[in-house]
Amino acid sequence: MAVPHTSDIVREVIFAPLEHGGRTQVVFDRLRNAVALDVFKDGEQLPPETELAAQLGISPVTLRDALGLMRDAGLVETRRGRTGGSFVRREGYDPVAHGHSRLDALTLVDLRDLSDWRMSVTEAAAALAADRASDDEVDGMEQHVDAFTRAKESAVARRAEGRLVIALAAASQSVRLTRATVASVVDYGPLLSVAYRNTKLRTSVGRAHRSLLEAVRDGRRDDARAAVRSAGLEVAHGLASQRTAGTARGAK
Amino acid sequence: MSRRSQNVEADIARFASEVAIRIDSIVAKLDVVADHGSSSGSEFDHFVDVTRQMLVDGEIGDVLAGAGYAVSHDDFRRPPAMVWWVHRGDAVVERTHSVDPDSESFYDYAALRWFRTAASSGRPTLSGPFIDAWGSNDYTVTVSVPVSESTGPGGVVAADVDVRRFVDSLTADLRRIRVPLALVNESDRVVVSTVPALSTGLPIRPRSVRDTAESPVLQRFPVSDYGWSVVSLSG
């Protein structure tokens, strides 16, 4: 029996065909996200190169280059010979380093666009959830808000928040919003590992999550939206300043 | 009371009992699976086999979309473990769920009603309709039955109902009764209704007005003791 490791939607997002031919960096990002999200377990062998390339709709050459980047990042190990292949190294994954390299690869406009998309999806989910959530669902969300508030490190906070927004989307009773939210958690997650290293920001976002929860509980849809927006903007601005500071450092 | 309204009441009560019979039949299948622990070998592997067989044996027109088993893990000696089977085309395949609490996509089944309530109440449990994030990522109604802990790790066996087929199959019967009606779950969330604005998954009243506005429910007919009910609505 295969060892269960992840939900189908995460696999779908990860293995969706790439849109514009293949770029090594995009494939590398996908595969790194897959490791970040535990799509593979430690030591798991990746599918044969030709198969994986076909699945992603890219040439084997592009895939080989991307696997080279994965190897350089310490995320896969390649063994030669009859039992050879590429094997995942979970311990090679560093969420903060991943976040920084993702942040450096984004322009400020890309970052704003990604943040706007993430906030819009979550705001829409929050407004609907304020009408439609059951008490049980609100209680479930409260657990994730508590976990976020208690978190002592950025990775833990990021994960709690991912669970909170996906629970919020499920409570909105929209299957499409739930899927979009999962995709946004996958895309934005690495950035949050960087953003939530800032304790002050985390505390302030934690307060916004608490007001979101209370607004949903009381059925105040506009307040729920506003809480999502205030947390999202604060994170986006924090990341934008870090991005600018990173560029300034790099220029020296 | 007029003859007509008495007839309508009888029709609604009959509909409620028809829904209960459908749920009962799924509970009966799960009971068979839950009651027969393995005589030898691993308990978990046994449930892997029997829950798969449950889907394989399904008849045409069967509304079961998936079935599986999850163990109780409220102590440190036993890690969480779960198996889940779904139909894919003509085949029955495993749907994997991450049960490692340290993984990003951890499927925390112990926090979900289908597991939690079945395990704590010791009774057949009906959950949904809910969007099973981290699981099917789609609307789900789950019927679950606890497994006795006397012989092994206990846990819960469960089956997912194909919500769209289930709703379709009830709609025609419901429409035949000519008053506004909804089949709702324990939180007054719609399973199926004759009111176009009340589609599957919506609460019959938004949270913002549920404590202030007058309830739209005129009469309530329980669906056995599953927590669901058929309600007639004003307007």
Side-chain angles (χ1 to χ4, degrees):
Chain A
M1 192 185 83
V3 176
H5 38 80
T6 190
S7 82
D8 285 359
I9 183 79
V10 173
R11 287 190 99 90
E12 275 169 30
V13 172
I14 297 289
F15 292 117
L18 295 169
E19 276 165 17
H20 307 292
R23 279 181 309 150
T24 307
Q25 185 64 36
V26 180
V27 180
F28 170 57
D29 281 343
R30 281 275 184 88
L31 292 175
R32 185 169 51 176
N33 268 340
V35 175
L37 291 160
D38 303 304
V39 170
F40 309 112
K41 55 188 184 347
D42 192 39
E44 183 173 339
Q45 184 171 9
L46 293 178
E49 287 185 13
T50 43
E51 199 178 294
L52 188 52
Q55 202 170 352
L56 292 163
I58 56 172
S59 76
V61 179
T62 309
L63 178 67
R64 217 161 296 141
D65 290 346
L67 287 175
L69 292 176
M70 288 289 282
R71 208 159 32 240
D72 295 346
L75 296 174
V76 298
E77 183 189 350
T78 305
R79 289 177 221 150
R80 311 233 162 261
R82 202 163 49 84
T83 57
S86 294
F87 298 85
V88 173
R89 289 184 70 246
R90 293 265 317 132
E91 75 267 32
Y93 180 71
D94 173 351
V96 176
H98 180 188
H100 274 298
S101 81
R102 180 96 170 86
L103 185 58
D104 290 344
L106 291 172
T107 65
L108 281 175
V109 175
D110 292 337
L111 176 62
R112 189 199 65 210
D113 192 24
L114 189 60
S115 303
D116 281 345
W117 177 60
R118 164 180 183 256
M119 274 185 278
S120 303
V121 168
T122 316
E123 273 188 71
L128 291 174
D131 274 349
R132 300 174 176 175
S134 68
D135 289 344
D136 221 28
E137 285 167 332
V138 175
D139 292 345
M141 281 181 245
E142 183 164 23
Q143 309 260 313
H144 303 313
V145 173
D146 290 345
F148 185 93
T149 314
R150 276 197 311 270
K152 295 274 184 292
E153 45 184 304
S154 68
V156 178
R158 182 205 64 213
R159 189 187 298 179
E161 185 182 282
R163 297 199 158 263
L164 169 65
V165 293
I166 289 171
L168 183 74
S172 82
Q173 305 302 318
S174 165
V175 172
R176 282 175 191 258
L177 271 179
T178 305
R179 289 171 184 229
T181 302
V182 171
S184 90
V185 165
V186 172
D187 260 8
Y188 212 82
L191 298 175
L192 292 177
S193 294
V194 174
Y196 289 153
R197 293 186 84 195
N198 180 338
T199 324
K200 223 175 112 201
L201 175 69
R202 220 161 64 207
T203 310
S204 163
V205 169
R207 273 198 297 271
H209 287 344
R210 187 71 60 187
S211 358
L212 164 66
L213 176 74
E214 293 316 320
V216 170
R217 195 191 293 284
D218 300 344
R220 290 178 276 119
R221 50 188 302 161
D222 292 342
D223 293 345
R225 267 183 183 282
V228 167
R229 182 145 206 90
S230 102
L233 277 178
E234 210 172 336
V235 169
H237 293 157
L239 285 168
S241 336
Q242 287 217 33
R243 175 71 184 80
T244 318
T247 311
R249 264 201 318 278
K252 274 175 201 164
Chain B
M1 190 178 281
S2 75
R3 167 65 57 85
R4 184 179 176 276
S5 70
Q6 274 177 2
N7 284 345
V8 166
E9 271 183 36
D11 286 347
I12 302 173
R14 192 175 312 119
F15 176 78
S17 70
E18 276 163 18
V19 174
I21 288 166
R22 293 195 194 210
I23 311 295
D24 289 344
S25 78
I26 300 170
V27 169
K29 284 185 189 175
L30 288 168
D31 271 341
V32 171
V33 168
D35 283 348
H36 293 71
S38 74
S39 45
S40 62
S42 151
E43 189 84 358
F44 188 82
D45 289 347
H46 165 74
F47 282 115
V48 168
D49 293 339
V50 290
T51 51
R52 178 172 184 279
Q53 203 56 42
M54 213 181 137
L55 278 201
V56 171
D57 292 345
E59 294 131 35
I60 295 172
D62 205 343
V63 291
L64 291 193
Y69 165 67
V71 302
S72 301
H73 64 97
D74 48 359
D75 53 37
F76 290 97
R77 288 175 295 127
R78 213 159 32 222
M82 171 173 170
V83 64
W84 199 261
W85 301 101
V86 293
H87 288 293
R88 190 162 293 159
D90 291 334
V92 170
V93 299
E94 190 187 359
R95 168 177 288 141
T96 57
H97 294 74
S98 171
V99 292
D100 172 5
D102 293 329
S103 99
E104 293 287 337
S105 44
F106 174 43
Y107 185 72
D108 189 6
Y109 62 78
L112 298 174
R113 177 181 160 88
W114 69 261
F115 186 92
R116 192 192 62 215
T117 304
S120 66
S121 72
R123 298 184 44 77
T125 299
L126 191 52
S127 308
F130 66 107
I131 296 176
D132 192 18
W134 307 106
S136 68
N137 278 289
D138 204 346
Y139 263 117
T140 306
V141 166
T142 306
V143 184
S144 51
V145 167
V147 174
S148 156
E149 297 204 23
S150 58
T151 54
V156 172
V157 288
D160 277 352
V161 171
D162 183 324
V163 175
R164 288 177 177 84
R165 276 168 88 171
F166 185 65
V167 164
D168 276 353
S169 70
L170 294 175
T171 303
D173 288 345
L174 198 59
R175 288 234 174 93
R176 240 167 260 139
I177 311 168
R178 305 225 161 253
V179 292
L181 287 175
L183 171 64
V184 297
N185 76 0
E186 72 289 346
S187 328
D188 273 353
R189 170 164 287 167
V190 174
V191 181
V192 56
S193 94
T194 61
V195 182
L198 291 179
S199 51
T200 303
L202 297 186
I204 54 174
R205 270 187 304 174
R207 291 188 73 82
S208 54
V209 300
R210 63 178 191 166
D211 297 327
T212 51
E214 204 174 309
S215 170
V217 174
L218 300 175
Q219 266 189 304
R220 192 178 283 273
F221 301 77
V223 174
S224 185
D225 51 2
Y226 290 116
W228 285 14
S229 50
V230 183
V231 292
S232 60
L233 301 165
S234 55

